[in-house]
Amino acid sequence: MKIFDSQALQELDRATCEAQSIDSIELMERAAEAICFEVVSRFLPRQRIVIVAGPGNNGGDALAVARMLIEQGYRKVEVFLFNVSGKLSHDCDEERKKLITIEGVDFTEVRKEFTPPYLDENDVVIDGLFGSGLRMPLRGGFKALARLINDSGAFVVSIDLPSGLFGEWNSGAIRRDMIHANLTLAMQLPRLSFFFEENAEVIGEWKLIDIDLDKDKIKELSTDFLLMETRNIRPLLRKRNPFSGKRDYGSVLLMAGSMGMMGAAVLAAQGALRSGAGLATVHSASCGMNIVQTAMPEAMFEPDRKEHFISDMTPHHAHQVIAAGPGIGTREETIDALEALLKTTDIPMVLDADALNCIARRPALLSMLPPTTIITPHAGEFDRLFGESGSAEQRLTRAIDAAKRYNIIIVLKGHATAIVRPTGRVYFNSTGNPGMATAGSGDVLTGIIAAFIAQGYSPQHAASLGVFFHGMAGDMAAEEKGEFGMTASDIAAHVGRAVRQVMEKTRP
């Protein structure tokens, strides 16, 4: 699913009207009907609903919703139209005319003085002040109104965007001056700002409402930001040849584990073998042999010459991919081994966890990463590599710059994990849940991504497949164990089922 900026969305609206031979008012009515349906499905007709509308088309949406709610039998609807400049958009003015024809409508058009309504936690506020058309932060009376609504405890439904929040970048924004929504109803496509942690308190739950925007125009318009869904992942998968053998699905070499951290090696091996790799070899501290061979007998074990840590990362056999980092520690000898690996191998690589911490200790290693190497940092690991970021938004912009500069793929792990390609294109993940914030989850992901590379998928596709199925397996594990009770092993155990579920949908 594409994520467009505000300018592209306006172009999409115009193209929809032209392609469907409708005017903008008809499109506004369509949006209002969908919003009204959401409100009616959540709140009873006796609910007090206060609607605040701005002078633009976002306000027109809100006025249309007010009229439709009244027509649906909602009798406690109060409407405030803020027309402080004395100039409404054409569509907003048309919706105003329709609304004021309703007998007994509780409607106030605010031009100068304004006595705010009393609001408390029992009320619903529909926010239609400013949507995509906002050009500057809320100021003056609008800022005061936002704070009044936020302090009231009322349930807030924002149309398109919470007023005060921009659809894309909000660097330096003061979020207490924005309306904080409990529910944001976006028109058919998500906004980039939805995927940044610092905006979560402003957006609340977000839901897309289908207003039948023109599909041909959606395909035509370009963007560097996308949301991965099942329909995007399914075409990437390849069915297995009935006459194939294990070597047809590649060999993964895992540089993982050290004294006290052998579980990381086990989990990475589980991720690789549960995701379809034909073979997996764990190279680790020799003290881990019994642990790995007992916990994961399907994996082969290659002992390092050191008892407690890895000191040599030289591949001794042919492998399709090397995954390094889970549980390896950051001893100097381990960093030396990683540097030697980066200097001498052209095998595709996945680097995670301590491999990234090793690089952070020796930053010159960044320039040694082979092209399209995949790194999978969480926020802390990323900041150690590329400098402290003040927000998730800033971290993503730095990830885009770094992916281009070093010609690597960055899997920036989080609530909606972002896969950043060297071209600057970003894919956000739609699967996963908070239960995956558990020890070893990232180790499993490392193994999953490596497994897809071993099977012949490009690093770009392997990163997307790995992240998506890791999240989907986590969702399945949460259904079975609950978000509080699931472990990383549960995630690994469900990967095969996740792949099967997506694959089976390809069958007629």
Side-chain angles (χ1 to χ4, degrees):
M1 180 183 293
K2 292 183 175 181
I3 301 169
F4 292 125
D5 61 21
S6 298
Q7 183 177 348
L9 287 173
Q10 291 174 1
E11 185 178 347
L12 180 56
D13 283 350
R14 290 191 294 269
T16 298
C17 292
E18 182 177 343
Q20 299 177 9
S21 299
I22 61 174
D23 60 25
S24 56
I25 283 285
E26 290 180 74
L27 189 61
M28 181 174 286
E29 291 282 312
R30 187 185 295 173
E33 287 175 2
I35 297 164
C36 184
F37 176 82
E38 287 295 328
V39 175
V40 168
S41 67
R42 293 168 186 255
F43 303 103
L44 296 173
R46 63 175 178 269
Q47 175 67 54
R48 180 184 181 225
I49 299 177
V50 177
I51 295 176
V52 292
N57 286 352
N58 194 248
D61 291 334
L63 297 180
V65 170
R67 170 171 50 81
M68 292 175 186
L69 287 174
I70 294 170
E71 291 169 350
Q72 290 284 332
Y74 285 72
R75 297 304 176 205
K76 295 182 179 180
V77 177
E78 302 170 31
V79 185
F80 295 86
L81 171 61
F82 290 83
N83 185 16
V84 293
S85 67
K87 184 178 180 181
L88 303 176
S89 73
H90 173 270
D91 291 357
C92 184
D93 190 42
E94 290 298 309
E95 293 295 349
R96 172 190 169 278
K97 292 174 183 177
K98 293 178 186 178
L99 180 63
I100 61 177
T101 62
I102 298 176
E103 184 177 351
V105 62
D106 190 343
F107 173 80
T108 302
E109 185 166 350
V110 180
R111 290 182 177 271
K112 290 184 179 179
E113 298 298 324
F114 169 57
T115 302
Y118 173 78
L119 298 169
D120 63 26
E121 65 274 8
N122 298 311
D123 299 321
V124 172
V125 173
I126 296 180
D127 161 33
L129 283 176
F130 303 100
S132 301
L134 188 66
R135 295 291 179 267
M136 61 184 67
L138 299 186
R139 296 182 299 182
F142 289 119
K143 181 171 73 173
L145 178 60
R147 291 189 177 185
L148 171 72
I149 292 171
N150 296 340
D151 292 341
S152 72
F155 189 97
V156 179
V157 179
S158 285
I159 298 172
D160 190 28
L161 286 166
S163 292
L165 182 74
F166 298 112
E168 293 76 48
W169 310 105
N170 289 271
S171 177
I174 301 174
R175 285 168 181 79
R176 70 175 178 271
D177 294 340
M178 305 173 183
I179 289 182
H180 288 208
N182 299 91
L183 172 66
T184 297
L185 298 175
M187 307 301 170
Q188 193 155 337
L189 298 166
R191 312 304 301 275
L192 182 60
S193 58
F194 292 179
F195 299 96
F196 299 131
E197 180 182 357
E198 56 270 17
N199 297 331
E201 62 176 321
V202 177
I203 296 163
E205 172 195 356
W206 59 269
K207 184 173 182 179
L208 304 180
I209 55 174
D210 191 351
I211 59 172
D212 193 26
L213 295 174
D214 185 62
K215 295 180 176 58
D216 290 336
K217 191 65 176 180
I218 292 174
K219 291 179 182 178
E220 175 190 325
L221 289 171
S222 62
T223 177
D224 283 331
F225 300 97
L226 302 100
L227 177 65
M228 293 190 305
E229 300 177 292
T230 301
R231 63 190 177 92
N232 309 121
I233 293 297
R234 189 180 300 139
L236 302 180
L237 291 170
R238 300 191 293 263
K239 292 183 180 180
R240 292 197 161 200
N241 183 342
F243 294 94
S244 58
K246 61 187 176 186
R247 296 196 179 278
D248 294 311
Y249 302 110
S251 176
V252 176
L253 176 59
L254 295 163
M255 304 288 185
S258 59
M259 182 68 174
M261 294 291 289
M262 293 312 302
V266 171
L267 290 166
Q270 287 179 350
L273 290 170
R274 292 287 188 181
S275 306
L279 296 163
T281 299
V282 175
H283 178 98
S284 189
S286 59
C287 68
M289 178 177 286
N290 289 339
I291 296 171
V292 174
Q293 297 274 261
T294 302
M296 198 67 190
E298 299 89 347
M300 292 176 285
F301 189 86
E302 187 178 272
D304 193 272
R305 63 176 177 266
K306 293 292 186 179
E307 178 75 11
H308 296 144
F309 59 91
I310 294 175
S311 63
D312 180 14
M313 293 189 181
T314 305
H316 300 295
H317 303 283
H319 302 280
Q320 279 64 55
V321 60
I322 298 174
I328 64 173
T330 56
R331 291 177 176 84
E332 283 299 311
E333 288 179 78
T334 303
I335 300 175
D336 290 341
L338 178 61
E339 181 172 346
L341 175 68
L342 296 178
K343 286 179 175 178
T344 58
T345 188
D346 57 0
I347 301 171
M349 278 193 278
V350 182
L351 303 180
D352 180 35
D354 280 336
L356 305 180
N357 293 328
C358 288
I359 295 171
R361 290 190 172 209
R362 199 175 292 179
L365 299 186
L366 270 173
S367 61
M368 300 180 190
L369 298 179
T372 67
T373 291
I374 299 172
I375 68 171
T376 62
H378 57 56
E381 291 163 344
F382 182 88
D383 287 359
R384 283 192 285 274
L385 284 171
F386 301 108
E388 194 75 22
S389 295
S391 65
E393 177 182 305
Q394 185 183 44
R395 192 170 293 114
L396 180 65
T397 58
R398 285 185 173 179
I400 294 169
D401 291 342
K404 292 178 179 178
R405 178 180 178 184
Y406 296 106
N407 193 21
I408 59 176
I409 299 163
I410 300 178
V411 175
L412 189 55
K413 295 184 290 194
H415 167 64
T417 292
I419 301 164
V420 186
R421 293 186 177 180
T423 59
R425 178 164 279 201
V426 178
Y427 294 79
F428 292 100
N429 188 36
S430 62
T431 61
N433 63 83
M436 298 177 71
T438 185
S441 177
D443 304 326
V444 173
L445 175 61
T446 297
I448 295 172
I449 294 173
F452 281 109
I453 295 176
Q455 293 169 79
Y457 293 90
S458 69
Q460 290 87 345
H461 288 165
S464 296
L465 290 165
V467 168
F468 184 86
F469 285 120
H470 179 252
M472 189 174 179
D475 290 338
M476 291 177 172
E479 288 178 11
E480 182 178 309
K481 305 287 187 179
E483 290 183 0
F484 286 82
M486 59 188 285
T487 65
S489 293
D490 297 324
I491 299 171
H494 285 84
V495 176
R497 180 182 159 206
V499 175
R500 183 185 67 184
Q501 181 169 306
V502 173
M503 287 285 288
E504 286 181 347
K505 289 183 179 179
T506 68
R507 297 174 182 172

